[in-house]
């Protein structure tokens, strides 16, 4: 029986072979550069995919919330890093979980550092997050006053251990990657050299998928924590991080109506499935995902321009090529490569592999 | 103990009083117009909120997928209508569920009608969905050939019962509501008059929240199925469907960092919580939600321009008024009125009431 026979409603397919290949390639790249890879599991959010990652020497992971980190506990990870400015309301919960699991967190202000000093009775590591320059979050790279204030407060606790500096250049999604990485290398090298005498074991870490995919020179950066590369998506293929054939997930969607005269196909598949990330389409409209053809071994990519041109909560409308419109029937299943796989996986909450088995994804947010 | 004391991470708050008021007002409006209200539960997706609705004489509900309809089964609803072009891959499942629960579906083509004729061994009602003119879905209002082909095929089954015509003028979100409702009334009246002699019990139904909120003249339309009005949101207040004080849900979010010099507040709260619906802000930027102040009895709306100006997967950045920036502290909770409550509720999967109790929301999609 094909995995396709069990699908009657929108279902997120996962090609294990492609996913493992992505993990293997990034692990090889990290190794080649003498770096440690701790993938950001905000993308996969999965025990099973975590087990695949272990096959490529990966021993630590990254999460974006304490709730997600909790889901990843008890899976044998040597450390779980929470790559988000720590939320002081969760200090007690972190302390409880830290009895059994090694964690590191990110700090960017003295208030939260003070809170952890007061609450922690179990060991927790911390990174100081450095603002990558696009203003989302972090301590400015030259704000040594704030860096030293955080370090000074942290020293009051025997349970809060400085691990190093984290810089997430998320603006590689919009700008010149080589230039951004030049700045990233310089900023982290400067900080390491400034604080290494006092903290000889400190490490530096970076993490975005576009940068980690296309950069070859990481300088003396020690660690990388990209997330999206585990699946990739159309946003990444557009940025040049991957080929479309590297995308490990596709949504299987039922065809519920066809308008041959308009080359349009109505599918069950909308914002609650794909989320609403969008790319501009070359026809001047929008692109919420691209059509692939499903078969028993996975999918093939026609690259014929058929794409999801609009979505509402549950509806999606495909603008179809002449070839697709001539073949498609009501009740068929089509595949859609997503624009943003992290958000799509989060919306769906489970994966179906090509051998018809379900793979877990953390529930809730 | 205040409900606020149990919140440490992004949590969707539900003000029961506002929600009940919205249900009561729409039920009164339907009654005044001699119409039946069967609210679209794609917004609430909840047993508990269904029970509140029953207090206002509501006996039927609407769903947007079979999965959602299944969640609403066994709750005493006289009928559950699935307001989506029926997906023929789910015909067997529909037939199984129809043993115990009355359903109606929407048909827009002969293929799916034929499939139901072949599969159904239990009674199911159906509406023919009419294209409201904005091209998302439905039979064109003048395509009597297709309408009659569907009716003819349906007659082959003793289990498939024609109920009437459904027209969802979803373009009221973008265009002139009075004009659209004039067209809606005329289209449905024409269809009723044309087919009433053969189907004397046929009804007509419409359904969008903006139209049902602002229109007073529904002509002889028999039924309405709006959804969003149960909670409303900033999109609806912008359209004039409601006041901001009618919005029944707000996201409680922890403050994790403050940049006083930039009037910016970093919160834990991003795309996985709010979804990514957005409105233009009057400052030329984006508006992903507006700040409200939480207190033990709910929230107050400062209307001082403080809003969520950007989000990523888990991060949100608030552009804060001088008043807010002068008061806020790391570790505080703020409230955010959502842009699109249906998507936000779907992303969160649960509600916390102001008396600290959890209200259910269907899981998965």
């Amino acid at each position: 029986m094909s995995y396709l026979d069990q699908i009657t409603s929108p279902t997120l397919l996962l090609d294990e072979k492609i996913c493992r290949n992505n993990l293997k390639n990034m692990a090889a790249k990290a190794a080649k550069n003498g770096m440690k890879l701790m993938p950001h599991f905000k993308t996969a959010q999965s025990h099973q995919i975590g087990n695949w990652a272990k096959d490529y020497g990966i021993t630590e992971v990254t999460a974006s919330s304490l709730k997600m980190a909790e889901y990843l506990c008890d899976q044998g990870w040597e450390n779980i890093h929470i790559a988000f400015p720590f939320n002081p309301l969760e200090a007690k919960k972190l302390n409880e979980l830290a009895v059994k699991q090694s964690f590191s967190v990110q700090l960017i202000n003295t208030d939260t550092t003070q809170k952890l000093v007061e609450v922690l009775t179990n060991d927790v590591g911390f990174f100081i997050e450095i603002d990558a320059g696009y203003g989302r979050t972090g301590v400015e790279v030259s704000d040594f006053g704030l860096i030293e204030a955080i370090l000074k407060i942290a020293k009051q606790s025997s349970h809060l251990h400085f691990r190093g500096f984290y810089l997430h250049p998320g603006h590689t999604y919009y700008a010149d990657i080589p230039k951004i990485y030049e700045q990233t290398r310089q900023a982290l090298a400067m900080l390491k050299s400034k604080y290494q005498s006092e903290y000889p074991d400190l490490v530096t870490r970076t993490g975005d998928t576009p940068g980690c995919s296309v950069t070859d020179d990481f300088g003396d950066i020690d660690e990388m924590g990209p997330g999206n590369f585990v699946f990739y998506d159309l946003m990444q293929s557009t940025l040049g991080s991957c080929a479309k054939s590297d995308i490990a997930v596709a949504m299987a969607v039922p065809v519920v109506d066809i308008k041959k005269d308009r080359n349009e196909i109505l599918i069950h598949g909308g914002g609650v499935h794909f989320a609403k990330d969008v790319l501009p389409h070359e026809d001047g409209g929008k692109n919420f995902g691209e059509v692939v053809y499903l078969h028993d071994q996975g999918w093939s990519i026609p690259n014929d321009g058929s794409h999801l041109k609009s979505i509402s909560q549950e509806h999606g409308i495909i603008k179809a090529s002449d070839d697709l419109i001539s073949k498609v029937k009501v009740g068929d299943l089509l595949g859609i490569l997503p624009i943003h796989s992290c958000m799509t996986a989060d919306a769906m909450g489970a994966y179906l592999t090509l051998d018809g088995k379900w793979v877990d994804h953390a529930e809730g947010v």
Side-chain angles (χ1 to χ4, degrees), chain A residues 256-278:
Chain A
V256 296
D257 199 37
I258 298 164
K259 301 274 191 200
K260 282 200 185 285
D261 56 327
R262 296 203 299 243
N263 277 52
E264 285 180 5
I265 299 167
L266 180 68
I267 58 163
H268 184 200
V272 294
H273 309 102
F274 291 102
K276 290 197 169 170
D277 291 275
V278 61

Side-chain angles (χ1 to χ4, degrees), chain A residues 86-96 115-116 119-120:
Chain A
F86 194 71
N87 166 10
L89 298 176
E90 296 183 319
K92 281 182 193 171
K93 182 71 178 280
L94 173 69
N95 189 51
E96 286 163 24
K115 179 76 180 177
L116 286 177
V119 169
L120 288 183

